[in-house]
Amino acid sequence: MEPAPSGFPTKPTAPNGAPNVLLIMTDDVGFAASSTFGGAIPTPNLDRLAANGLVYNNFNTTAICSSSRAALLTGRNHHAVGFGTVSDLARPEPGYNSVIPKSAGTIAHVLSAAGYDTAMFGKNHNVPTWQSGPMGPFDQWGNGLGFSYFYGFNGGWTDQFAPQLIENTRSVEPPTRGDGTESGYVFDRDLANHTIDWLLTQHSQNPEKPFLIYYAPGTAHAPLQAPAEWIARFKGKFDSGWDAYREAALARQKKLGLVPPDTRLAPMPEGTRPWNSLSPDERKVASHYMEVYAAMLTYCDAQIGRVLDTLKRTGELNNTMIVFIQGDNGASGEGGAIGGVNYATRISAAMQGGDEMTHALAKLDDIGGPDSLPIGPVGWASALNTPFPYYKLVASRLGGVRNGMVVSWPAGIVQRGVRSQFVDVNDVMPTVLEAAGVPAPKSLKGIAQQPFDGVSFAYSFDSPMAPARHKTQYFEVFGHAGIYHDGWMLSEAVKVEPRLDAAMPDPAVQWQLYDLRRDWSQTTDVAAAHPDKVAELKALWEREATRNNVLPLQYSNFSSMLPGTRPEPLSEPGIHVLYPTDERYPSGAFPAINNRSWTIEADVEVPAGGGEGMLVTQGGRFSGWGLAVLGGKPAFFYRNSDRAQALVRVAAPEPLTAGRHKIAIAFMVDGPGFGKGGTLSLSVDGMPVARGRLEHTVPFEFSPEEATIGHDAGTPLVDDYRLPFAFDGTIDKVSFDLGAVQPMVTRPH
């Protein structure tokens, strides 16, 4: 403890010479995306770190974002800290409940207690949905995870031009909605701006204290968005297609010494179309998706470069340990065969209506800008994961779990070059603590701590040929299971469609065995030649799965998509009353109207001359709904997607008179099923004034524009009004009467 003047409390002091720590984790970036790892996307700032540090080519994640982030922050296996799945799909079993136990203190908890200043910027996908509202609890928000300052967003993804921002525990709005140009608002630049401001403040106030920054941009998770000027830089750069990309990337990887010279390209997943089989229009659209992806990643790299330049300006770069993890899992195949203009509808399996390729061609100039939420096709996902098979969500294949990592610490690491020891994301925290000279605490705040599952890889810093110390690591996401042990990998066979609900392996299929010592890219199943090794590793998998709360496995996510599957009290059947405030409400802290009948009623007072404005809304132009007064008339809008035919309007024929009114919209679902349609009835003061019909409804979640009462934020549902479209009368309350959730009668397709 640091001495203090007599009579004042002492404060913790970090070990002498302890490094600053900058953890960077990008999102959905495949092994072969960035130039550092042989990709065609220039990432000069990651390149400069690699040139002055160590490049790890055998670094592994969990195949999905929440899980990888939980393992990174705690040093434990993802199921061992409740994150066997994303928080949006949490279920009651201990390995999947999305609640990090107090016995698994984070790296920020430990370093804060050791005298570090701490801050987190970007994506926090480790908040349980029922704790995501403005009243918390905030245990797993950025501050609750041990970071003194947080700026970013909670959840899986957000819009680069209209993000759902959080500062510490309060929602904040961007200064303006981005217009798609470099001079307008862009979240990645805003994130770097806040990081730089924090760094300069910290260096001004506490120059003697080391810091921990966790920098987690949403790039390059869908929606793929970037300033138009940056997208233009890549025009035509990917017209040769994904098959040619894979060949060129592998050649570069071999030249860079990132893979063994005899490495083979893993076959493309079954059903992936060769580039030369696409029509000219399909190639045009697919090429543009990749242009946007490349622009997004390069732009993000440029913003990280500004952070590095700030460290150099303040003299901190030399003693800053930078761990740059390029991707929290492999590139995403969720876009399917031809990608999608609107990730919000693809992720919820909503019926968009019309042909996706026709829609994409019509919107081609908009893709990547503020009027799109795009995701690329699965062929690019496979290419970006070269030379490995498959992609995000498939935890039994290296394309899902193998990511590039660079470690740079000029003052502490003398050697340079490639390191090939097996390293897992749960190894990062033990490594940082060892480098900082901070022992892992046996207890935190009186709570005994569970041991690390990760193993420090600091031994590899100065010993390129040292044997790997992380010998065994299981993998599992959405039922895809595998286990690594001493160079071997046992994997369940893959039966997969490239969708959010993709991983549906048959638990009865035979296990496959790969000798990764001789088969770097996991191409050849040798199970038949090594039955004893299969039996050994299968038994090891069972032991690890039992020890880490992996069991029982679940092979479908649809039951977890229904309201009522998590402790979200505002979505339980019955009446819920909300009052107008300036707050935003995420889906887990707001009544869920999916897959059920419901009535929403607003008690309002209309001013003389008629009223105008939003009464209550959720989502926006990409999918969402809203009850409003427009042109003095009550109106309800419902969007399945951004397409014109997906918008349903139900509006009263006459304007409201001045005074108090009850405006209600009721929906009667057609019956059991997932995303079923139904009838709408709009009423004023108990009298029906208009009717309508929804052929389909959004079955899971609307686009992640949080709900608001009394105004709109994010994007407008329709072009008839401009934001913030605040109601100019008075709203007393808004009541939701929710019916029972309808059962699913068949698995949806």
Side-chain angles (χ1 to χ4, degrees), residues 20-24 117-121 147 195 198-199 211-215 307 311:
N20 305 308
V21 179
L22 172 58
L23 299 181
I24 302 173
D117 288 328
T118 59
M120 175 179 175
F121 300 90
F147 296 95
T195 305
W198 187 90
L199 275 169
F211 62 77
L212 163 68
I213 287 178
Y214 174 34
Y215 190 91
V307 175
L311 292 174

Side-chain angles (χ1 to χ4, degrees), residues 452-519:
F452 289 139
D453 296 300
V455 179
S456 171
F457 56 86
Y459 68 89
S460 69
F461 290 170
D462 297 318
S463 302
M465 304 308 294
R469 296 182 182 177
H470 194 136
K471 300 290 188 180
T472 303
Q473 182 61 48
Y474 79 90
F475 298 91
E476 190 278 334
V477 166
F478 295 174
H480 273 304
I483 190 164
Y484 168 89
H485 180 70
D486 270 347
W488 295 87
M489 188 159 182
L490 187 72
S491 302
E492 281 195 319
V494 177
K495 184 194 295 182
V496 61
E497 297 174 5
R499 293 170 20 175
L500 180 70
D501 59 304
M504 298 282 292
D506 180 351
V509 299
Q510 192 170 11
W511 289 83
Q512 297 170 344
L513 181 68
Y514 300 90
D515 184 353
L516 300 183
R517 301 166 302 174
R518 299 172 179 83
D519 178 16

Side-chain angles (χ1 to χ4, degrees), residues 117 200-208:
D117 288 328
L200 294 175
T201 302
Q202 193 271 346
H203 193 67
S204 300
Q205 293 288 298
N206 295 329
E208 77 289 351

Side-chain angles (χ1 to χ4, degrees), residues 707-719:
T708 51
I709 297 174
H711 67 285
D712 198 0
T715 63
L717 284 160
V718 293
D719 294 330

Side-chain angles (χ1 to χ4, degrees), residues 110 177 200 222 232 263 299 357 361 406 433 487 490 545 616 623 640:
V110 175
R177 182 170 187 254
L200 294 175
T263 299
Y299 185 76
M357 183 53 58
L361 285 167
V406 169
L433 295 187
L490 187 72
V616 56
S623 70
N640 245 336

Side-chain angles (χ1 to χ4, degrees), residues 37-62:
F37 290 89
I41 303 173
T43 50
N45 292 291
L46 182 55
D47 290 347
R48 69 161 152 157
L49 291 175
N52 293 288
L54 302 175
V55 177
Y56 286 79
N57 64 359
N58 197 356
F59 177 81
N60 299 271
T61 55
T62 68

Side-chain angles (χ1 to χ4, degrees), residues 198-265:
W198 187 90
L199 275 169
L200 294 175
T201 302
Q202 193 271 346
H203 193 67
S204 300
Q205 293 288 298
N206 295 329
E208 77 289 351
K209 292 186 67 173
F211 62 77
L212 163 68
I213 287 178
Y214 174 34
Y215 190 91
T219 299
H221 193 292
L224 305 179
Q225 296 169 317
E229 299 93 326
W230 288 68
I231 297 173
R233 297 183 185 188
F234 293 94
K235 182 68 175 175
K237 298 290 187 182
F238 303 102
D239 288 353
S240 58
W242 43 67
D243 298 312
Y245 185 104
R246 298 175 79 224
E247 297 285 351
L250 180 56
R252 287 190 294 266
Q253 289 168 343
K254 290 180 178 180
K255 185 176 180 180
L256 291 168
L258 292 169
V259 301
D262 60 350
T263 299
R264 300 183 298 275
L265 273 178

